[in-house]
Structure formats: structure tokens, C-alpha cells
Amino acid sequence: MKKEFLDLGSQPIANKFLKEDEFDNEFFYDLKVVFDDETKLVSLKDFVKPELMFNKDYTYHTSLSHPMVKHFKSTANMLKKEFKPKTVLELGSNDGPFIKNFNKKTSFCVEPCDNFAKITGDMGYKTYTSFWDAELSEKIKSNHGEMDLIYAANCICHIQDLDDCFGAIKNLLSKKGILVFEDPSLLRMLERCSYDQIYDEHAHIFSVTALDNILRKYNFVIIRVDNLSVHGGSNKIYVRHIDSHDHEIIPVNMQQDKSVSDNLILENDFGLSNFETYKIFADRVKKSKKDLIKLLTKIKSKKKKVVSIGATSKSTTVFNYCGIDSNLIDVITDTTPDKQGLCAPGKHIPVVDRKSVDLNDYDYAFLGAWNFKDVIANKETKFVKNGGKFITHVPEVMAFS
Ligand code: JHZ
């Protein structure tokens, strides 16, 4: 039984930055969110065709975010040390910051966006330019055998058909192998009212509770959960086959640790299994929209200028849900060359290189990449010294310096 609790209105493809002559044919869909009473999974009501989102024009380069490169390097080193995998598969390898820490002969990538698949291919990793599914799992198994580590960061929550996804993983993961994946945390999203985690690519926002319910169907068991600060609060989930060690003693690193029950209890205490919690969240989202429009309108009425930092998928949701266009935000800066010179999805605010803008010409800077608040604040100390203020909507709408 899927119950709708949130309507974020008509939305464009979150990462499809456009030229002016593409405005008329831009694709829009209704972004509504549902809660499944049985599994407790939160998902989009209507999915967008994957090919419209993940293709050769995909613009999100993981390696352009230095904190993420650091994060993937330390994750890779930790996994090598703790699990010593002989074979590794990464789902959604993007431009390779994780896989590049592993042996080229025994590590493989799956990446549906041609532009990124080419990057890891050129780095020497066999890369399957394809969406993850049962057929591909079979193909990889017959080409390279089973995998000891299957890793996916910000990828599983993008896969619409979770049954096919986990079935395909079940088929390829070696008997004593480990599946590790990380995605934004539903609990953190609800706590912080960061509703902008919801956009076309995020088919689901995972709780440990829902994953525990779903993974059991595949005879998988969650053995550990790490709460991460990346992407505004994510969970790293460690999973093995339930019968991985038959009658042998299960090694310590493969035993279920306390983090699993700790997270389940925390989520239960917050009310993640109750529909009422989602209705309260939806009311907070509506208030956040009202507050943000009010603040920006007030600022503009005083003839002040506002820049936005980070042309994120998240800011696509905020700007389109709140109806924020270039009357309220003059320009967006982003460090990604592929986004610069284009206009942001839906509301068509121009995106420019940070280096081409003197931030001191602006009075306020909206944090489109609020998840990098500290990194941005440390870079932009001159802006603050000259009286500039940041604006964020997470956890609530405010201007600060
Ligand atoms: P960032 C993407 O979401 C899409 P986004 C995807 N669906 C997903 O799940 C998450 O990532 C993981 C720029 N920037 O990481 C770089 C600056 O301009 O929040 C990026 O374009 N200045 C795969 O798009 C953007 O902001 C800066 O100082 O919401 C950050 O995007 C910094 C630090 C970043 O992900």
C-alpha cells in the first residue's frame, strides 16, 4: 500500500543544464513522494525514464569535489584492509575516484553514462556502459567470475526496480563476499528538512528499516551501518549472504554489529515506520518554501543582489518547487566546467564559473551546495569580511555570516 505524502510540483531533469534554444522542449514531470506501508520504503510516485537522466551528457563529476575524492580514497583503503577482496565491482563508478584505488586486472565498473564510462575505461578498468540489471550480472559472472566486493555510492537509491537490483547482486556476490553501499539517509533528511534530496535521480530515499525489510527477501543480512556526514548525511550499509559461512564460525568482521540495531532503534524512535511522521515532514517542507520566498523577496525589494553557490541537483528541486528564477537569484556559480555557460534546469538561472564572478558584487550567497557549507565558507572569507551573508534552507531558512 503506497501512500502519497509530498508534492514537489512540476520538475525538470535535475542535472540537465540547458542552452537557451533548448528551453522550449524541456522535459517536466510531477515530483510526488510515497511511503510504502509494508516495507516502509520512501520512493518517488512516478519514476522518470533512466535514459533521460543518465546519458552521455550527465554532468555530475565526483572527482571535482575534493572532499568526496578524499572520502572515496579512505573508504577504498578501509575496505581493502578489512575485507581483502580479490575481485571488486563498482556500480555507478562515475569518473573513478573509488575504483582507481584497486587493481585494474581484478576490478570492474558499471556506468550507464558514456562520458564517464570512457574515463574509467581509459584508466584501464573494464567498464560496462550499461544500467545494472540481472542480465548484466550474468554477463559479468561469466566473463570474470563472482565478486568478493560489490560497492556502490549514491547509486542503489537511483535504481528504480530494487527487486531486479538486489536479485542481480545476489547472483554475482561470492559466497563470503560483501556488498557495501552508501546513499542519503532518510532519517537525516527528515531531521534536517532537507527535502531537496528528493529529485528525479533519487528513486528512493533509504532508511535502514526499509533496507532491512527489503534485503531479507533476498536472504541478505545487514551486518553494519556507518553514519556518514557526506552529502548532508548518508548511511554506508554492509551486507552479506545470510548463509555465507554455513556451519563455520563467522569471522568478527562479518558478524552483525551493534550499529544495525542502534540505527533501527533510532529510526523507530523518530517514527520512520509511521505515516504520520511523513505528513509532519510535508508541513515543514511547505513552511520552508514560504520562508525562503519571503526572505528572498524581502532582500530583492531592497535592491540587493543574490548569487547561488553550487548548481546542484538539490537546488533544482528547491528552485522549481519554490518558483525561484533570475528575478530572485541573479546567477549560480559552479566549479564544474560542463555546467558553466548553460542555464539551470527549469528556472533557467545562468550558471557561470566561480572565477568569473567577484562575490563582493553580491550581498547574499544562497548555498545550493549546503552540504559543503564549511568548505565554501572557508573559501569565501573575503565575501563575509566585506559584509556578505550566506542563505540556507537547511535545517531552516536563515541568513548568516
Ligand atoms: P553535490 C549529485 O547531487 C547527483 P548534487 C547524484 N544524483 C547524487 O546522488 C549526489 O550527487 C551524490 C559544486 N561546487 O555534490 C560542484 C561548487 O561550485 O552537492 C557540484 O556541481 N563550489 C549523483 O548535484 C556541486 O557544487 C564548491 O566550493 O546535489 C555539488 O554537488 C563545491 C564544494 C562544490 O551533489
Side-chain angles (χ1 to χ4, degrees):
M1 219 340 228
K2 289 186 178 147
K3 294 181 182 164
E4 184 181 321
F5 62 90
L6 184 62
D7 183 350
L8 293 169
S10 179
Q11 293 278 346
I13 299 293
N15 264 307
K16 175 81 185 95
F17 292 81
L18 313 96
K19 296 192 202 104
E20 234 179 285
D21 62 7
E22 293 172 305
F23 291 174
D24 287 345
N25 293 323
E26 191 171 12
F27 175 86
F28 284 88
Y29 69 100
D30 289 331
L31 181 55
K32 293 181 178 164
V33 195
V34 294
F35 171 72
D36 183 341
D37 241 351
E38 189 202 330
T39 59
K40 313 299 176 199
L41 180 66
V42 166
S43 309
L44 303 192
K45 185 174 181 196
D46 299 306
F47 296 133
V48 170
K49 257 178 111 183
E51 293 78 6
L52 289 178
M53 300 179 276
F54 309 110
N55 49 48
K56 63 175 181 36
D57 298 323
Y58 193 64
T59 49
Y60 180 77
H61 286 251
T62 310
S63 294
L64 292 178
S65 289
H66 296 298
M68 291 313 296
V69 175
K70 235 171 102 190
H71 167 72
F72 287 121
K73 188 172 180 193
S74 67
T75 299
N77 288 339
M78 177 272 289
L79 292 172
K80 278 200 275 196
K81 200 168 147 213
E82 289 202 21
F83 299 103
K84 301 182 180 50
K86 291 199 183 74
T87 45
V88 180
L89 177 72
E90 184 180 10
L91 307 178
S93 42
N94 197 267
D95 55 358
F98 175 79
I99 205 72
K100 76 176 186 193
N101 301 290
F102 291 89
N103 185 315
K104 290 183 179 137
K105 288 198 181 104
T106 53
S107 309
F108 312 94
C109 302
V110 173
E111 173 53 63
C113 305
D114 307 49
N115 48 342
F116 291 117
K118 184 168 173 348
I119 296 175
T120 48
D122 288 349
M123 281 160 63
Y125 294 91
K126 169 73 190 160
T127 302
Y128 291 84
T129 315
S130 181
F131 289 101
W132 174 245
D133 61 15
E135 198 184 320
L136 180 60
S137 159
E138 201 46 54
K139 186 169 168 187
I140 293 175
K141 194 171 171 178
S142 71
N143 287 350
H144 314 289
E146 291 179 335
M147 296 292 137
D148 295 336
L149 167 65
I150 299 183
Y151 178 77
N154 301 299
C155 173
I156 304 279
C157 80
H158 295 62
I159 299 178
Q160 299 169 0
D161 184 346
L162 290 180
D163 281 334
D164 185 67
C165 168
F166 288 126
I169 290 172
K170 185 85 193 169
N171 175 53
L172 190 58
L173 188 67
S174 63
K175 184 142 204 252
K176 295 183 182 177
I178 182 114
L179 160 68
V180 180
F181 63 99
E182 55 185 78
D183 287 297
S185 150
L186 178 69
L187 179 62
R188 298 300 281 148
M189 182 184 94
L190 296 189
E191 282 174 344
R192 292 179 173 188
C193 198
S194 48
Y195 66 88
D196 51 351
Q197 289 291 6
I198 304 167
Y199 48 89
D200 52 358
E201 293 178 24
H202 287 173
H204 319 279
I205 308 285
F206 291 139
S207 59
V208 180
T209 309
L211 286 170
D212 187 45
N213 289 334
I214 294 165
L215 287 161
R216 274 168 203 275
K217 291 200 262 175
Y218 297 90
N219 279 330
F220 277 135
V221 59
I222 302 178
I223 56 168
R224 171 173 153 191
V225 177
D226 294 344
N227 304 126
L228 313 172
S229 61
V230 296
H231 287 296
S234 301
N235 286 329
K236 185 182 270 151
I237 312 279
Y238 298 69
V239 178
R240 66 163 166 79
H241 297 290
I242 213 155
D243 53 356
S244 57
H245 291 76
D246 290 327
H247 304 296
E248 296 168 31
I249 293 171
I250 301 174
V252 176
N253 65 346
M254 289 303 235
Q255 287 174 17
Q256 188 177 63
D257 80 10
K258 209 172 141 306
S259 59
V260 181
S261 57
D262 285 351
N263 275 274
L264 290 172
I265 291 167
L266 263 182
E267 292 187 351
N268 190 54
D269 289 350
F270 193 87
L272 285 205
S273 297
N274 308 329
F275 186 60
E276 196 53 37
T277 304
Y278 298 91
K279 291 205 284 192
I280 295 168
F281 170 67
D283 287 341
R284 287 173 66 206
V285 173
K286 281 183 209 146
K287 181 175 181 313
S288 175
K289 171 181 178 171
K290 248 188 176 164
D291 291 349
L292 186 57
I293 297 171
K294 195 169 153 196
L295 177 64
L296 289 174
T297 312
K298 193 169 147 202
I299 287 170
K300 281 312 237 186
S301 71
K302 292 183 184 159
K303 304 267 175 285
K304 303 278 186 198
K305 286 179 81 182
V306 186
V307 60
S308 181
I309 301 178
T312 58
S313 320
K314 298 182 289 289
S315 57
T316 296
T317 294
V318 176
F319 295 164
N320 286 277
Y321 173 58
C322 299
I324 295 167
D325 58 16
S326 43
N327 290 316
L328 291 177
I329 287 185
D330 299 82
V331 75
I332 304 173
T333 66
D334 197 285
T335 47
T336 314
D338 287 353
K339 297 181 184 176
Q340 296 160 3
L342 298 174
C343 294
K347 294 297 168 192
H348 305 154
I349 304 172
V351 182
V352 298
D353 184 357
R354 166 68 191 87
K355 291 194 195 106
S356 72
V357 167
D358 183 353
L359 228 55
N360 299 312
D361 291 342
Y362 294 85
D363 305 287
Y364 290 87
F366 177 76
L367 292 171
W370 55 264
N371 44 317
F372 290 117
K373 185 179 110 192
D374 294 342
V375 177
I376 294 169
N378 282 336
K379 275 200 268 188
E380 307 297 359
T381 48
K382 216 169 129 205
F383 168 69
V384 177
K385 232 189 233 160
N386 289 341
K389 284 194 168 147
F390 293 113
I391 298 174
T392 187
H393 64 293
V394 176
E396 57 195 32
V397 174
M398 61 180 135
F400 65 97
S401 52

